[in-house]
C-alpha cells in the first residue's frame, strides 16, 4: 500500500519556529511508522514562497523576494533536517517545475468553465493574503488572526466559481464523515460551507512575485491556489525522470493546523474537483501550540527557539515533548518548565533509567548475555494488542494517543521491575529461573517499547536497540516474545543525561 503524508508548506517571510516544527515532526512520526509497517511512503514538506507576505517582508528587509526566499527556504530545510524529519522531498513553490504545473492546472480550471473576470472589494489582510468577510472581522476592521487594522481594497481579478461547489462539497461532507478529522473540525468546515460560499479571486494584480496567469500575464495566480497545488506538483518532479503521481496521489493524510482550515477543507476540495483531480483521503487538523495562552507566532513575537532546545537536550527530547505535552488535535500550552519536567521525569527517569537499570542487571547477574526464558505471563498480558492499538491510532492520526499507549507500557515495565526486585532474586540461587524470566521480560519489554517509540524518538530507539543487539525496526518485531534471549548487550551510557538549564538571557 502507498502512504502519502504532507505538511503545509511554510511561508518564507519569517524564520522557522516550534509551530512549524510541530507539524513536521507529527508528519514524520506517521511516515516512520508507516515505513515500519512496510508501506511505500512519500512524505512531503516545503516552503510557500510567493505572494504578498513574502514580497512585503523582502521589501522591509531591502532584498528581492527571490533573495529572501532562497535564504529562508534554506533555514526551513535545515530545521527539517535538524529535527530528523525523514521527508522524501522538500518542495519550494519557486521551483520552475511547480510553476509549470500551476499554469497547467489554472488553465484547466478556466477551460472547465470555473473562472471568470470580475472586481473584488472588501477588507484585505496582507499577512493572510486573504479577503475577510465582515463576520470574520474583529472590532469591525481587524484581522481575526493578526489583529491588525485592515483596509478596504478593490481589484479587478480572475475569479474562481467556488459558489457552484456548495452542493458537491456538502455531499462530500455527508458521504465521507471522516474526511476531516477531528470531528469538530469537520463540523466547522461544513457549517462554513452551509453558510454560503462566495467566489474568490484566483489572481492578484497588485504584485508580480508569483506564477503568471497564463492567459493574462499582468496578473499572478493567487498565492493560496499556487500553494495548494504543491501537494500534487511535487510528485511530478521529486524524482528526476520519474512521475510519482500515479503511485501516491491522492494523498493519504494532509496535516495542517486550524489556521488554514478554510483553505484546505473548502477551497482545496473545490479546486481539485474543478481540475478533475481526486481528493486526498483525509485532512487532519491539529491545534495550536500556545505560550502564555497565545498562539506562538512570529508576528506576535512569542516564539521558542527550537535550535536552542535541541542543542541542549537533543532532537528526540524536543520531538517527544511536542507530541506528549499537547494532545494532537487540541490546543495546548508549552513552556520551558513543562519541557524540563517531562524531560526529567519521563525521558530521563521512566525510560532512561529503566534502560540503564535493566542493562546493568543483565551485565551484573548474567555476564551481559540476555537469558533464555519465556516472557512472564503478566507482562505478556499487559502488552497484548498493543501493536494493533498503535496501528489503529496512527491510522486515525492520533499521534499523542498512540504515544500515550506506548508510554503506559514504559510505566508498566518500571512497575514490573520494582515489583519483582531482581536484586533480591539474584541473592537466591534457587530462584535463578525466576531471575532469568524477569530479566528476559524487562529486556523484551524495553525492546518492544523502543521499536514502537522509534517514530517518535528515532535516535534514542536506534541507539538502545543497537545496544540490545536487536536492530529490527519492523512493526512485526514489536511483540513481546518475538525475540528470545541470547544476545550480548553493549554499553549504553545515559540516554537522557541531566542538563543544567542555562540562566534565562536578560530581556
Ligand atoms: N503557507 C501557508 C500554508 C500553505 S499550505 C498549501 C501557511 N504557512 S505558515 O508558515 O503560516 O504555516 C502555517 C502552519 O504552520 C500551520 O497550519 C501549522 O501547521 C504550523 N504552525 C504555525 N504555528 C503554529 C502554532 N503555534 N501551533 C501549531 N501549529 C503551528 O499558512
Amino acid at each position: 500500500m502507498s502512504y502519502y503524508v504532507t505538511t503545509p508548506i511554510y511561508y518564507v517571510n519569517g524564520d522557522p519556529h516550534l509551530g512549524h516544527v510541530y507539524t513536521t515532526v507529527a508528519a514524520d512520526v506517521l511516515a516512520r511508522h508507516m515505513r515500519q509497517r512496510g508501506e511505500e511512503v512519500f512524505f512531503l514538506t516545503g516552503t510557500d514562497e510567493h505572494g504578498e507576505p513574502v514580497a512585503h517582508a523582502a521589501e522591509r528587509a531591502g532584498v528581492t523576494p527571490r533573495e529572501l526566499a532562497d535564504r529562508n527556504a534554506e533555514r526551513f530545510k535545515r530545521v527539517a533536517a535538524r529535527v530528523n524529519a525523514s521527508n522524501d522531498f522538500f518542495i519550494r513553490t519557486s521551483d520552475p517545475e511547480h510553476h509549470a504545473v500551476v499554469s497547467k492546472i489554472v488553465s484547466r480550471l478556466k477551460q472547465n468553465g470555473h473562472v471568470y473576470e470580475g472586481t473584488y472589494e472588501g477588507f484585505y489582510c496582507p499577512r493572510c493574503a486573504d479577503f475577510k468577510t465582515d463576520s470574520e472581522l474583529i472590532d469591525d476592521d481587524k484581522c481575526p488572526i493578526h489583529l491588525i487594522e485592515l483596509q478596504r481594497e478593490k481589484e479587478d481579478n480572475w475569479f474562481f466559481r467556488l459558489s457552484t461547489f456548495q452542493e458537491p462539497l456538502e455531499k462530500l461532507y455527508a458521504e465521507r464523515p471522516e474526511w476531516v478529522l477531528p470531528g469538530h473540525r469537520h463540523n466547522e468546515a461544513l457549517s462554513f460551507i452551509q453558510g454560503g460560499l462566495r467566489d474568490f479571486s484566483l489572481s492578484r494584480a497588485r504584485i508580480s512575485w508569483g506564477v503568471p496567469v497564463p492567459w493574462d500575464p499582468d496578473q499572478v495566480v493567487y498565492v493560496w491556489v499556487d500553494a495548494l497545488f504543491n501537494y500534487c506538483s511535487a510528485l511530478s518532479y521529486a524524482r528526476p525522470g520519474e512521475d510519482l503521481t500515479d503511485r501516491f496521489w491522492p494523498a493519504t493524510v494532509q496535516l495542517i493546523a486550524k489556521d488554514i482550515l478554510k483553505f484546505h477543507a473548502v477551497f482545496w476540495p473545490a479546486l481539485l474537483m474543478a481540475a478533475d483531480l481526486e481528493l486526498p483521503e483525509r485532512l487532519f487538523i491539529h491545534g495550536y501550540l500556545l505560550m502564555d495562552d497565545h498562539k506562538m507566532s512570529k508576528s506576535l513575537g512569542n516564539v521558542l527557539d527550537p535550535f536552542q532546545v535541541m542543542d541542549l537536550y537533543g532532537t528526540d527530547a524536543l520531538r517527544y515533548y511536542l507530541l506528549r505535552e499537547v494532545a494532537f488535535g487540541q490546543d495546548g500550552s508549552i513552556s520551558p518548565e513543562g519541557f524540563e519536567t517531562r524531560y526529567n521525569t519521563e525521558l530521563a527517569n521512566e525510560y532512561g533509567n529503566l534502560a540503564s537499570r535493566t542493562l546493568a542487571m543483565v551485565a551484573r547477574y548474567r555476564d551481559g548475555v540476555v537469558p533464555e526464558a519465556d516472557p512472564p505471563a503478566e507482562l505478556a498480558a499487559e502488552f497484548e494488542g498493543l501493536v494493533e492499538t498503535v496501528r489503529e491510532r496512527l491510522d486515525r492520526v492520533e499521534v499523542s494517543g498512540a504515544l500515550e499507549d506506548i508510554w503506559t507500557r514504559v510505566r508498566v515495565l518500571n512497575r514490573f521491575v520494582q515489583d519483582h526486585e531482581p536484586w533480591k532474586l539474584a541473592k537466591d540461587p534457587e530462584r535463578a529461573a525466576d531471575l532469568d524470566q524477569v530479566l528476559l521480560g524487562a529486556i523484551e519489554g524495553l525492546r518492544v517499547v523502543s521499536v514502537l517509540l522509534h517514530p517518535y524518538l528515532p535516535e534514542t530507539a536506534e541507539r538502545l536497540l543497537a545496544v540490545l543487539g536487536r536492530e529490527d525496526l519492523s512493526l512485526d518485531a514489536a511483540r513481546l516474545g518475538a525475540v528470545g534471549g541470547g544476545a550480548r548487550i553493549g554499553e549504553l551510557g545515559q540516554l537522557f543525561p541531566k542538563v543544567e538549564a542555562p540562566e534565562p538571557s536578560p530581556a
Side-chain angles (χ1 to χ4, degrees):
M1 208 185 77
S2 67
Y3 185 89
Y4 178 24
V5 58
T6 65
T7 73
I9 47 171
Y10 306 114
Y11 283 133
V12 285
N13 56 338
D15 290 334
H17 62 69
L18 267 187
H20 307 122
V21 163
Y22 185 49
T23 318
T24 303
V25 167
D28 189 54
V29 167
L30 296 173
R32 287 175 182 270
H33 167 81
M34 291 298 163
R35 290 194 199 101
Q36 287 187 305
R37 280 160 68 164
E39 312 294 5
E40 199 186 5
V41 172
F42 197 83
F43 165 20
L44 181 70
T45 187
T47 41
D48 187 352
E49 306 192 1
H50 293 138
E52 267 167 301
V54 177
H56 286 172
E59 217 172 283
R60 282 196 299 275
V63 295
T64 63
R66 178 163 301 280
E67 282 168 330
L68 183 81
D70 284 347
R71 191 200 299 161
N72 285 345
E74 212 34 59
R75 292 190 180 142
F76 277 93
K77 238 186 218 179
R78 274 209 309 272
V79 88
R82 183 71 180 80
V83 298
N84 280 327
S86 59
N87 51 300
D88 296 280
F89 189 57
F90 189 98
I91 189 167
R92 298 184 52 185
T93 53
S94 60
D95 293 341
E97 297 91 336
H98 170 76
H99 279 216
V101 173
V102 171
S103 296
K104 208 170 89 191
I105 289 180
V106 294
S107 296
R108 195 186 308 157
L109 295 179
K110 185 150 185 289
Q111 274 158 23
N112 287 355
H114 301 297
V115 178
Y116 65 97
E117 204 168 9
T119 303
Y120 203 98
E121 198 182 340
F123 281 98
Y124 184 77
C125 175
R127 298 231 188 118
C128 295
D130 190 20
F131 282 98
K132 302 286 163 189
T133 60
D134 290 348
S135 63
E136 284 176 303
L137 296 171
I138 290 188
D139 298 342
D140 298 332
D141 66 352
K142 291 206 181 70
C143 167
I145 294 170
H146 296 98
L147 309 176
I148 52 170
E149 276 180 29
L150 306 182
Q151 304 296 325
R152 271 191 100 75
E153 309 264 356
K154 195 171 168 185
E155 218 183 73
D156 292 330
N157 295 134
W158 294 96
F159 277 72
F160 175 68
R161 292 186 200 281
L162 182 66
S163 53
T164 58
F165 286 90
Q166 172 121 11
E167 249 187 65
L169 288 173
E170 284 176 3
K171 190 159 163 262
L172 163 73
Y173 276 76
E175 283 172 0
R176 290 167 63 177
E178 298 207 327
W179 186 66
V180 174
L181 284 180
H184 63 282
R185 298 288 169 215
H186 172 105
N187 297 342
E188 192 180 323
L190 179 58
S191 57
F192 183 89
I193 294 163
Q194 287 167 335
L197 295 178
R198 286 168 50 182
D199 297 344
F200 67 82
S201 48
L202 189 88
S203 66
R204 289 287 183 270
R206 72 184 80 219
I207 53 160
S208 56
W209 174 237
V211 180
V213 172
W215 61 90
D216 180 2
D218 288 342
Q219 304 226 3
V220 294
V221 174
Y222 175 37
V223 62
W224 266 102
V225 174
D226 166 354
L228 284 164
F229 282 104
N230 91 87
Y231 302 128
C232 302
S233 73
L235 295 176
S236 70
Y237 70 99
R239 294 280 165 279
E242 204 181 342
D243 190 336
L244 302 175
T245 308
D246 288 347
R247 246 157 84 195
F248 291 105
W249 193 260
T252 320
V253 179
Q254 304 206 267
L255 297 185
I256 59 164
K258 61 184 184 180
D259 50 346
I260 50 179
L261 177 73
K262 176 182 77 180
F263 297 102
H264 284 80
V266 184
F267 290 18
W268 179 221
L271 286 164
L272 285 167
M273 289 176 194
D276 304 319
L277 292 167
E278 276 186 84
L279 309 194
E281 284 164 31
R282 174 164 289 166
L283 301 180
F284 188 94
I285 323 299
H286 66 72
Y288 287 156
L289 296 182
L290 308 172
M291 280 190 73
D292 309 325
D293 296 334
H294 290 290
K295 179 189 176 206
M296 249 192 355
S297 87
K298 175 85 180 161
S299 41
L300 296 177
N302 57 342
V303 291
L304 213 139
D305 182 359
F307 288 105
Q308 225 173 30
V309 177
M310 289 187 284
D311 286 346
L312 267 175
Y313 295 90
T315 306
D316 281 356
L318 179 69
R319 294 170 62 105
Y320 176 80
Y321 178 66
L322 293 178
L323 298 177
R324 181 83 170 130
E325 186 80 342
V326 179
F328 199 62
Q330 293 167 27
D331 289 351
S333 288
I334 56 164
S335 66
E337 299 74 35
F339 176 86
E340 272 176 49
T341 306
R342 294 267 181 201
Y343 182 86
N344 290 323
T345 57
E346 297 183 1
L347 290 175
N349 289 344
E350 293 176 350
Y351 187 40
N353 283 350
L354 171 73
S356 40
R357 277 169 93 192
T358 308
L359 288 167
M361 290 189 287
V362 172
R364 184 165 332 138
Y365 307 138
R366 292 295 179 261
D367 291 327
V369 176
V370 179
E372 298 279 5
D374 289 330
E378 62 173 285
L379 265 194
E382 294 275 12
F383 277 72
E384 179 73 38
L386 176 59
V387 180
E388 288 70 22
T389 308
V390 169
R391 286 175 72 111
E392 280 160 27
R393 285 220 185 228
L394 291 180
D395 280 341
R396 299 178 56 80
V397 202
E398 293 171 11
V399 180
S400 310
L403 181 55
E404 171 71 31
D405 284 326
I406 305 166
W407 210 261
T408 305
R409 282 18 180 237
V410 172
R411 292 183 171 154
V412 161
L413 288 167
N414 274 299
R415 229 176 18 245
F416 172 78
V417 171
Q418 210 53 43
D419 289 352
H420 290 276
E421 303 180 307
W423 44 92
K424 286 193 181 154
L425 296 178
K427 290 188 182 136
D428 182 353
E430 301 214 330
R431 304 204 58 191
D434 292 340
L435 179 60
D436 282 350
Q437 198 177 35
V438 170
L439 292 178
L440 178 281
I443 289 278
E444 258 301 89
L446 201 53
R447 184 188 65 76
V448 169
V449 294
S450 301
V451 172
L452 292 171
L453 285 171
H454 180 257
Y456 299 86
L457 304 172
E459 286 180 2
T460 308
E462 274 172 42
R463 190 170 141 201
L464 184 49
L465 290 168
V467 169
L468 294 180
R470 305 293 189 194
E471 291 171 55
D472 185 352
L473 285 174
S474 71
L475 215 62
D476 289 340
R479 291 177 196 281
L480 202 80
V483 169
R488 171 163 295 280
I489 55 165
E491 277 291 320
L492 180 64
Q494 288 262 307
L495 279 184
F496 296 100
K498 280 257 173 296
V499 174
E500 285 301 324
E503 291 293 311
S505 54

